Amino acid sequence: MATLRSNISTAMYNIRQFRGLNEAESGETALRDGEASKMRNFRITDSGALTPRGTLQKCIQLGNAYDELGRYDISLDRGKEQIAKPLPSSSNPIKLYSSYTVKADGSIAMAGEPVYELSQTNSAPPADTAYFMLNNEPYLFEGVVSTAYYISSKMYPTDEVKELWSGNLGGADILLAVANHYVWWLIPIVDLPEHYLPKQIKGSYISGDTAHLFGFGNKVYLLTGDDMLCWDGANDSINDGFVSVEGYIPCVLTACAPATGSGTAYERINNLTLKRKCRYNADGTATEYKILEAGVTVLSVFVNGEEAIEGTDYTKATSKVTFTTAPAAGVENVEIIYQIDGEKTTTKEFDPVGGIFHAFAFAKANYGMELAEIKVFKYVNAEQGFYEEIPPTDYIFFSNSAIMLLKTVSTKIKVKYRFKTPREKVLAMKYSELYNGTNENRIFLYGDGTNTVIYSGLDENGQPTAEYFPDLNECRIGSDVTPVKALVRHYNRLLVFKDNSTYSIYYGTTSLADGSVTAGFYVSAINKSIGTCADAQAVLVENKVRTVDGLDLYEWRATNTSGNITYDQRNADRISQRIYDTLSTFNLKNVKLYYDKARHEFYCISGDEALVQNVEADAWYFYTDFPVRCMNVYSAGGRDDVICGLKDGYIAILDRNADIDFKTEWVSGALDFNKPYAFKNSTQIWVQIKPERSRKLNISVETENGMKLEGRVSTSPAGAANPTLTVRMKPRKFIRYKLGIEALNRLTLLGANINVSYSTNIK
């Protein structure tokens, strides 16, 4: 009997491990088993399972800032800022409402029924309410009235959360957030494990667009770009809240002679303050004590450690103190604290030269001084001194020393300008990093738009402090003026990143002109073509630094046995090949980088999207509907919350147990089942999930010939959960095949199997 032989064979294609996203330059046919050509809102576990990402569970909104009277300001659309006006005098009663709505065009309309009518004959409003006018309509908001019919207060719109910080302060683990111009203390509610109580911290008002928190020396410091504030975490202290840092007062001279004020140089001046002090060796007869620096103001005087009383114990004049009775003889037993004058506004006039005015010079002799402000005026009537200001758009200012007018001016020119004080230069720094070689007892500040990094010193007792930035404690990074973008400590080096270049700072010692030896920090180049383009975005990931530059992510790795990153172009390893298509759509200058070391996940966030890598599984994935602006992990009191600050002022917890509220998608590469030359058929798909009840997912199949099939599978809502689900789909005569998965609720997908039969070869 004859036997019929078939050329059709059958095989089972297995996905035993999901490997994440791979946007391969060579196309979807080059993907490995388990890699995705598209992947949205799924994540890969350490073991290679596929599961929806965590849900952003909003727990509290850090709404509008309190004003100085403790009242809440009403929420407006972003970008609007208005001033409250007094209630008008009118014989007609003014209706006041308890709520309002915001229309689609951004205007505000009253809602609900009126709760109060105010007229000329009324007495003051109830003590627990406050009324104000906005767009000629009265509004009711929570607070306390200080004046019967008048409230003058700025109202700020709900804004994004700019910063999250957690650490130990005052013996307790605390969580802080910066939003809507203030710092908020987020206090966990014990009975509600997913909720936090926000407490606004006094004195933390932030006028600018940046805010940076760091902890040092039992205090939390806040950099705003124009101020430096600190808080010790005290609850009941009279100084509760953030206060502006005045700065450590250094003793610049010791063993001073009362008659001249000359002495032995001791501590360097502190650029963070205009205050200084000197100590004198009293001789028992002198009553007049001079200060070596001319034109300074005496602030306080101490004799034998006790503060002397002005008017009783001494009188003061410029750079001089006169005692009523000569202090007893002693060694450094008289101390005088004084303050130098700040930079004053200077005015210069220039005669007309006709046409466009080119040459005015007002260069500062002091090295490194920068202009704080400048105004240019033209005379309308030179004889009588009348003048008007020239708009900044009509001239160019450059080199800190010259102006060129862009329009013809035929009259005299007057320039008024002021250079920054050393304190202003310190306060202009926006970011920080801790470093001092093998430990972290110095603060390095950067971010003022220059290539300068400054670092703190030790006080008189050898203790580290974040409030002492001695003169000359600075590093200028590179020969160009490209600003420093990011600092990060790595082993015993401090890596410094600029746009398109990278440097290393290492600790050493240096000898000063007076023979003393002090700490020195030396700069060396690492890479002259790669750095970072995003401000303060350099993070450690499994002890390797990551940055963004150009359109790529880079990981910095040591090429020597010491572990330090030295000058070698191989140090910068490009790690974004698999996600380049998506990453290239990000605005990398504004991305936020974060590493959750507990879950081994690295985040690169841009706008409402994020690229995430599970470092343990070496798998990338892509999140949409992810409006996160900052992240932190709060691990205290049994919690281990991934805290996210959102763009609308909300604090959210990244919850991996809640049902999903976003669209998920996972699509395989174009699978040829190891025979790209053969036609194929398929009949069945099996998917394995973690055994749970009521799990639902959609499965789809798409072939290169345009066939697309879809089906839905689910586990039983009751009884035993089936760990393997079967989907019957029968695509015919295809060459390549793409498998799609969509989760309809939270589940964990462990693997998949596809039944494939091979037909005839392609002719």
Side-chain angles (χ1 to χ4, degrees):
M1 182 175 66
T3 301
L4 297 177
R5 297 185 178 274
S6 171
N7 63 348
I8 297 177
S9 60
T10 302
M12 186 69 69
Y13 176 79
N14 302 313
I15 299 177
R16 301 187 184 277
Q17 185 179 37
F18 292 94
R19 305 177 188 274
L21 183 63
N22 186 356
E23 299 168 335
E25 295 180 3
S26 55
E28 298 174 349
T29 61
L31 271 57
R32 296 183 296 166
D33 296 349
E35 285 188 324
S37 59
K38 294 181 182 178
M39 186 172 174
R40 179 172 54 167
N41 294 323
F42 274 113
R43 59 180 293 270
I44 305 296
T45 68
D46 290 353
S47 60
L50 184 69
T51 187
R53 70 165 173 86
T55 300
L56 292 171
Q57 293 284 78
K58 294 182 178 180
C59 58
I60 189 67
Q61 186 179 31
L62 303 179
N64 294 342
Y66 296 106
D67 66 10
E68 68 280 2
L69 299 177
R71 298 175 297 226
Y72 278 111
D73 293 323
I74 201 164
S75 295
L76 302 175
D77 278 357
R78 179 180 174 84
K80 291 186 179 180
E81 181 178 298
Q82 302 184 45
I83 304 298
K85 300 176 182 178
L87 296 174
S89 298
S90 173
S91 58
N92 297 322
I94 300 173
K95 295 181 180 181
L96 301 162
Y97 294 79
S98 60
S99 60
Y100 65 94
T101 59
V102 180
K103 297 179 181 179
D105 62 358
S107 63
I108 297 175
M110 306 303 285
E113 296 294 325
V115 296
Y116 189 82
E117 290 187 355
L118 181 65
S119 68
Q120 286 182 318
T121 59
N122 286 129
S123 60
D128 60 345
T129 58
Y131 304 102
F132 65 96
M133 289 294 296
L134 180 63
N135 297 331
N136 297 320
E137 290 185 296
Y139 289 82
L140 169 68
F141 73 107
E142 181 183 356
V144 177
V145 172
S146 60
T147 305
Y149 306 113
Y150 182 70
I151 294 175
S152 179
S153 173
K154 284 187 176 182
M155 287 155 287
Y156 295 96
T158 300
D159 202 355
E160 66 183 27
V161 181
K162 297 183 180 298
E163 175 86 330
L164 285 167
W165 179 88
S166 63
N168 191 278
L169 188 64
D173 292 314
I174 68 169
L175 176 65
L176 300 179
V178 178
N180 288 296
H181 303 278
Y182 280 86
V183 180
W184 305 77
W185 183 1
L186 303 179
I187 304 172
I189 302 175
V190 177
D191 297 334
L192 298 172
E194 294 181 355
H195 290 80
Y196 288 81
L197 175 67
K199 178 182 178 181
Q200 187 189 81
I201 303 177
K202 296 178 182 178
S204 60
Y205 178 75
I206 302 163
S207 59
D209 294 328
T210 63
H212 171 75
L213 293 166
F214 69 92
F216 193 81
N218 297 318
K219 292 181 181 180
V220 173
Y221 290 86
L222 170 63
L223 301 179
T224 67
D226 56 17
D227 202 356
M228 183 179 185
L229 309 169
C230 71
W231 180 50
D232 61 6
N235 245 337
D236 302 322
S237 168
I238 192 172
N239 296 319
D240 182 21
F242 278 87
V243 295
S244 185
V245 175
E246 291 189 4
Y248 168 75
I249 303 175
C251 181
V252 294
L253 292 174
T254 61
C256 297
T260 62
S262 61
T264 302
Y266 188 33
E267 293 182 290
R268 283 177 286 159
I269 63 174
N270 184 5
N271 285 336
L272 191 55
T273 180
L274 300 177
K275 298 178 182 179
R276 301 165 189 176
K277 62 185 177 184
C278 50
R279 298 195 184 109
Y280 295 77
N281 291 342
D283 57 10
T285 59
T287 57
E288 186 174 281
Y289 282 63
K290 292 184 178 180
I291 299 172
L292 188 62
E293 294 186 79
V296 303
T297 301
V298 175
L299 300 177
S300 56
V301 178
F302 293 83
V303 179
N304 294 321
E306 294 186 2
E307 186 171 4
I309 301 174
E310 183 185 356
T312 301
D313 299 327
Y314 70 93
T315 58
K316 66 181 183 181
T318 301
S319 299
K320 185 174 68 173
V321 169
T322 303
F323 286 97
T324 305
T325 303
V331 177
E332 298 183 7
N333 62 331
V334 175
E335 182 178 88
I336 299 177
I337 300 176
Y338 61 93
Q339 179 172 304
I340 65 171
D341 291 334
E343 291 292 323
K344 297 179 180 179
T345 299
T346 302
T347 301
K348 285 190 176 182
E349 295 185 357
F350 300 87
D351 292 328
V353 296
I356 295 180
F357 198 79
H358 288 282
F360 9 117
F362 44 90
K364 186 76 172 180
N366 293 2
Y367 173 73
M369 296 300 291
E370 299 175 9
L371 280 180
E373 56 185 358
I374 181 170
K375 292 184 178 181
V376 183
F377 303 87
K378 64 179 179 180
Y379 278 77
V380 178
N381 187 320
E383 288 74 21
Q384 299 184 27
F386 297 138
Y387 58 87
E388 65 180 17
E389 184 176 355
I390 298 175
T393 54
D394 291 351
Y395 60 85
I396 296 175
F397 165 67
F398 55 94
S399 299
N400 240 11
S401 62
I403 288 177
M404 183 176 71
L405 299 182
L406 301 178
K407 292 185 178 180
T408 300
V409 176
S410 57
T411 63
K412 292 179 67 176
I413 299 296
K414 180 167 72 173
V415 180
K416 297 178 69 175
Y417 60 94
R418 181 180 67 84
F419 284 90
K420 291 181 180 179
T421 64
R423 176 178 172 85
E424 285 178 293
K425 293 185 67 176
V426 175
L427 298 183
M429 299 294 182
K430 297 178 181 179
Y431 309 107
S432 71
E433 181 63 296
L434 279 65
Y435 174 70
N436 192 38
T438 57
N439 53 33
E440 297 180 338
N441 65 359
R442 294 181 189 266
I443 298 295
F444 281 69
L445 301 183
Y446 66 100
D448 65 342
T450 71
N451 68 334
T452 301
V453 173
I454 64 174
Y455 53 92
S456 63
L458 307 180
D459 66 16
E460 187 176 4
N461 299 316
Q463 297 300 310
T465 173
E467 302 179 14
Y468 183 26
F469 290 89
D471 194 29
L472 304 181
N473 271 25
E474 66 176 43
C475 301
R476 293 184 179 265
I477 311 301
S479 58
D480 64 341
V481 295
T482 306
V484 172
K485 288 289 188 177
L487 300 181
V488 63
R489 181 189 174 195
H490 187 254
Y491 291 108
N492 62 349
R493 300 293 179 96
L494 183 65
L495 299 185
V496 185
F497 297 95
K498 302 173 70 174
D499 205 349
N500 298 320
S501 61
T502 302
Y503 298 81
S504 173
I505 293 177
Y506 59 95
Y507 173 83
T509 58
T510 185
S511 298
L512 302 180
D514 59 3
S516 61
V517 178
T518 186
F521 293 91
Y522 300 90
V523 181
S524 62
I526 288 178
N527 194 299
K528 291 298 184 72
S529 61
I530 300 173
T532 188
C533 59
D535 291 336
Q537 300 307 309
V539 300
L540 276 174
V541 178
E542 302 295 320
N543 216 24
K544 297 182 180 68
V545 181
R546 291 190 178 185
T547 62
V548 290
D549 189 83
L551 294 177
D552 281 296
L553 281 162
Y554 288 90
E555 186 171 76
W556 296 82
R557 303 179 181 184
T559 57
N560 55 52
T561 56
S562 70
N564 288 320
I565 297 174
T566 55
Y567 189 78
D568 191 324
Q569 298 297 321
R570 296 173 298 171
N571 283 319
D573 187 13
R574 179 174 173 242
I575 61 171
S576 52
Q577 295 92 327
R578 284 176 283 166
I579 52 165
Y580 179 79
D581 288 351
T582 298
L583 186 65
S584 63
T585 66
F586 284 13
N587 181 357
L588 293 189
K589 291 186 177 181
N590 295 324
V591 299
K592 303 294 182 183
L593 306 182
Y594 180 73
Y595 182 57
D596 179 3
K597 64 181 180 181
R599 297 158 189 82
H600 310 287
E601 288 184 322
F602 166 73
Y603 291 80
C604 177
I605 304 170
S606 175
D608 293 351
E609 298 176 335
L611 283 162
V612 187
Q613 184 191 28
N614 183 323
V615 178
E616 189 76 13
D618 189 24
W620 287 97
Y621 24 102
F622 177 52
Y623 291 171
T624 61
D625 303 316
F626 196 70
V628 173
R629 297 298 177 265
C630 51
M631 301 179 72
N632 205 298
V633 173
Y634 182 70
S635 301
R639 293 173 181 250
D640 188 24
D641 294 337
V642 180
I643 306 296
C644 301
L646 307 187
K647 69 176 182 180
D648 56 2
Y650 270 96
I651 296 296
I653 298 175
L654 195 59
D655 190 344
R656 289 180 177 160
N657 297 315
D659 282 339
I660 60 176
D661 57 359
F662 40 79
K663 186 174 179 59
T664 61
E665 182 181 24
W666 184 95
V667 180
S668 72
L671 306 174
D672 59 20
F673 302 100
N674 298 322
K675 288 189 178 182
Y677 52 83
F679 288 111
K680 306 158 193 83
N681 300 314
S682 180
T683 57
Q684 255 179 328
I685 302 169
W686 294 269
V687 291
Q688 293 83 47
I689 68 170
K690 180 180 177 181
E692 292 179 291
R693 298 183 180 90
S694 301
R695 304 295 93 180
K696 300 178 181 179
L697 69 158
N698 285 341
I699 300 292
S700 64
V701 169
E702 184 177 0
T703 66
E704 89 290 340
N705 56 23
M707 180 179 294
K708 187 167 184 178
L709 304 173
E710 295 181 355
R712 176 176 296 185
V713 293
S714 62
T715 62
S716 172
N722 189 355
T724 301
L725 305 177
T726 303
V727 187
R728 298 187 183 278
M729 292 184 181
K730 297 182 179 181
R732 300 292 184 184
K733 204 171 183 180
F734 61 87
I735 301 171
R736 290 185 172 87
Y737 172 114
K738 295 173 69 174
L739 175 67
I741 299 171
E742 176 189 358
L744 301 179
N745 55 11
R746 188 161 297 282
L747 55 83
T748 300
L749 192 64
L750 305 176
N753 310 96
I754 304 171
N755 176 275
V756 178
S757 59
Y758 300 100
S759 182
T760 57
N761 292 340
I762 302 170
K763 295 182 180 180

